[in-house]
Amino acid sequence: MKLLLRTLISIVLIAYPLLVWWLAQQGLTDGLLLILLAVLVSQVAIQGIKNPRSWVSAAVLIVVAITFLFTDQLTSVLLYPVWMNAAMLIVFLLSLRFKPAVITRLARLMEGELSEKAVAYTEKVTWVWVGFFMVNGAISLFTVLHGDMDIWTLYNGFIAYVLMGLLFIIEWSVRRVVKDKH
């Protein structure tokens, strides 16, 4: 049951921009904030507060709720991708300060113990992701401030995912080459 709920929550969060766009097209924006808050609360509840991913969800949940106090409901909902990028930026930056870095942890899960050169490489890759989250968050913010729902949906619901996937594929390919050299 937990796996099913996690899967449903993941699908809703991935499809979030398309869901927001569709509901806005139908004039059904009143419930968007409640849907987002319910999904984030559910995610925290299912993962448990001890899970670090819950901390990110809980932090974003709080920021979305605070944003609503200062903006309208639609704007607070549209800012969700901005806050997620900001949260991921902070997580990746903190992991560089309080090691191991996020990418180092992921590489260890996939590869086992890493050499010092491999750790140095994964820390550089973590910096690349920091840059990605900064740029992606800034573009997401621009799409909100621009005020065009179609542009917001295109970027946050498609282009951002493609860019993230490309970065992952490029990094994985480079890692294979670097690993083979060493």
Side-chain angles (χ1 to χ4, degrees):
M1 185 65 170
K2 255 188 176 179
L3 179 62
L4 177 63
L5 287 173
R6 282 184 188 161
T7 303
L8 288 173
I9 288 170
S10 295
I11 290 169
V12 169
L13 290 175
I14 290 169
Y16 176 78
L18 298 174
L19 176 65
V20 169
W21 176 83
W22 184 79
L23 289 171
Q25 297 302 314
Q26 307 304 314
L28 302 171
T29 58
D30 288 347
L32 284 173
L33 182 63
L34 289 177
I35 292 170
L36 178 59
L37 295 177
V39 169
L40 291 173
V41 166
S42 299
Q43 187 174 34
V44 171
I46 289 169
Q47 291 175 347
I49 199 64
K50 291 183 181 180
N51 186 322
R53 286 180 288 183
S54 290
W55 303 344
V56 172
S57 297
V60 171
L61 173 68
I62 291 166
V63 172
V64 168
I66 291 170
T67 303
F68 175 63
L69 297 174
F70 298 101
T71 66
D72 61 278
Q73 185 172 178
L74 183 58
T75 302
S76 64
V77 167
L78 294 177
L79 284 168
Y80 170 72
V82 176
W83 303 139
M84 278 306 301
N85 277 283
M88 296 306 293
L89 172 67
I90 291 166
V91 166
F92 276 61
L93 275 173
L94 286 174
S95 79
L96 286 162
R97 173 75 171 98
F98 305 102
K99 302 193 190 279
V102 170
I103 300 300
T104 306
R105 291 177 195 190
L106 293 173
R108 283 182 177 150
L109 286 174
M110 293 168 37
E111 307 288 335
E113 197 51 43
L114 302 174
S115 69
E116 286 184 35
K117 286 186 178 189
V119 170
Y121 171 79
T122 58
E123 288 175 359
K124 288 177 187 170
V125 172
T126 302
W127 278 110
V128 170
W129 280 100
V130 164
F132 173 82
F133 291 124
M134 286 177 64
V135 171
N136 195 50
I139 295 170
S140 292
L141 179 59
F142 172 80
T143 65
V144 174
L145 298 176
H146 188 266
D148 185 322
M149 182 65 83
D150 291 335
I151 291 172
W152 180 86
T153 305
L154 176 64
Y155 185 78
N156 293 289
F158 180 70
I159 295 171
Y161 290 131
V162 169
L163 292 174
M164 196 177 309
L166 282 173
L167 179 55
F168 180 78
I169 290 168
I170 291 167
E171 187 281 317
W172 184 82
S173 301
V174 170
R175 187 180 341 145
R176 295 289 122 215
V177 171
V178 169
K179 185 178 176 186
D180 289 345
K181 278 187 176 181
H182 298 287

